[in-house]
């Protein structure tokens, strides 16, 4: 199993690529230097790791403090990039009812501000992913981050809901760079079980965003209006841009980059899409993300309007659900990965997700009367916690099918998730603000579809038998 980790000099990415200078060094799973990076290609830069990162296999030196610091810095930087989308979405959620009132727009129209951002992130990834395979990870990422900061700043001053929707779309297009390139960087540096572990570790950082974001958003609304949320997002985007510029080095060496144009990029994506197993994991992950986004889009109205909770109570409940997702993600990475097959863990996660969605549908449909806020919140907690088993494992399994085109594969993963989520978003409000049944029904359909794609396309039992 190949594992490529941050360099022992404390910088990020030099262990794999060394940027364009060719001066980086390779560090194996124990943090020992195994060679010098060369621009000619990846063959001279790969090291075989006998065990997980942080172990001390026989014949190697213990991990150095510099290597551990570099690994932590990598988690923080990539975690920040993957946390930016939930920050952009979740910090804004408690303000949705206020935006509806201040801009005098229907709730369904205001929800399009979420849909536009999501659609922009979906489309942007299709562009940024192949770009990062051709030009490296660093340059497209920095361009996207600068555009994100500018678009977010304009959102803070939007006078109409139409203009807000337009710049949320641009915000999503620019923010796509952080999402797709963060996954591609992980694929550049890790493989196999270690990649699944790293994705679970990232949830410690990226999972803190949905915990903190609604709480921060609720507190911002105590002292200012919804525009203040975008002022804070602008500052966060600017800070992350500076951190990326200062600390994240190139991870894709020139020898591993694609040299073709649009035609080659399209052929690469077509090859990935016709891979039945890759398509299965991609669709399963996308439909699971739609379950998550149906919750994100509808929960402000369900919790606050239907069940009468305050913005602060909603933020607290949202944070509790995010804690469940993070904790289960860590159980996945620390206890399950490496002991139980990724497919088994993924199957369990998808099954729990479907059961949670079915329970919510029964409760919100009023079959047993009005359930109240506590039972509905418990159902949402189970539903969101199951994401800790689904999200890291679908990403890892899909990316393992595409070591030759991590950027394009990451783009397809992200685009499918955001497109399916963008379709699910308006459906949750189709029956108005007085019922939560559409939210639960969308979640049941998407969870059932995710489990079906996993079983019918990935066929985990047939591949496990072939491996024996």
């Amino acid at each position: 199993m190949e594992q490529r980790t941050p360099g022992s000099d404390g910088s990020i990415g030099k262990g794999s690529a060394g940027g364009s200078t060719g001066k980086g060094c390779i560090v194996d799973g124990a943090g020992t230097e195994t060679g010098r990076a060369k621009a000619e290609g990846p063959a001279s830069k790969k090291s075989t790791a006998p065990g997980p990162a942080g172990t001390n296999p026989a014949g190697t030196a213990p991990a150095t403090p510099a290597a551990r610091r570099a690994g932590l810095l990598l988690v923080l930087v990539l975690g920040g990039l993957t946390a930016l989308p939930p920050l952009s979405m979740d910090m804004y959620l408690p303000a949705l009812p206020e935006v509806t009132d201040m801009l005098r727009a229907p709730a369904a129209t205001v929800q399009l501000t979420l849909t536009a951002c999501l659609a922009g992130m979906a489309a942007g990834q299709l562009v940024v992913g192949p770009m990062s395979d051709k030009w490296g990870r660093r340059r497209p990422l920095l361009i996207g981050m600068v555009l994100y900061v500018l678009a977010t700043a304009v959102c803070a001053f939007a006078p109409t809901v139409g203009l807000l929707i337009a710049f949320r779309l641009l915000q999503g297009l620019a923010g796509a760079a952080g999402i797709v390139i963060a996954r591609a960087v992980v694929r550049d540096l890790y493989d196999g079980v270690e990649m699944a572990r790293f994705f679970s570790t990232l949830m410690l950082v990226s999972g803190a965003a949905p915990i903190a974001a609604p709480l921060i958003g609720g507190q911002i609304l105590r002292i200012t209006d919804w525009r203040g949320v975008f002022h804070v997002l602008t500052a966060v985007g600017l800070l992350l841009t500076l951190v990326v510029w200062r600390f994240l080095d190139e991870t894709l060496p020139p020898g591993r980059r694609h040299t073709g144009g649009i035609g080659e990029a399209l052929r690469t994506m077509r090859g990935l899409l016709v891979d039945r197993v890759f398509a299965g994991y991609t669709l399963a992950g996308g439909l699971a993300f739609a379950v998550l986004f149906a919750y994100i889009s509808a929960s402000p109205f369900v919790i606050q309007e239907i069940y009468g909770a305050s913005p602060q109570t909603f933020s607290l409940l949202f944070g509790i659900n995010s804690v469940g997702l993070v904790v289960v993600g860590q159980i996945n990475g620390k206890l399950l990965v490496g002991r139980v097959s990724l497919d088994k863990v993924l199957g369990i996660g998808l099954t729990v997700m479907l059961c949670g969605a079915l329970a919510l549908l029964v409760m919100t449909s009023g079959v047993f009367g009005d359930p109240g806020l506590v039972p509905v919140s418990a159902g949402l907690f189970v539903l969101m916690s199951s994401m800790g088993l689904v999200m890291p494992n679908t990403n890892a399994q899909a990316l393992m099918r595409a070591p030759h085109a991590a950027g394009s594969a990451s783009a397809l993963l992200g685009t499918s998730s955001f497109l399916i989520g963008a379709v699910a978003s308006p459906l949750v409000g189709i029956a108005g603000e007085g019922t939560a049944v559409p939210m639960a029904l969308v979640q049941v359909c998407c969870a059932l579809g995710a489990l079906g794609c996993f079983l019918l396309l990935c066929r985990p039992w047939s591949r496990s038998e072939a491996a024996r």
Side-chain angles (χ1 to χ4, degrees), residues 18 49 136 142 246 267 270 313 391 393:
L142 287 172
R246 174 64 179 84
R267 284 191 295 272
R270 180 182 178 279
T313 300
M391 295 170 67
N393 293 324

Side-chain angles (χ1 to χ4, degrees), residues 163-177:
L163 196 61
L164 180 60
I165 291 171
F167 277 95
R168 286 284 278 176
L169 176 65
L170 182 58
Q171 182 191 42
L173 286 167

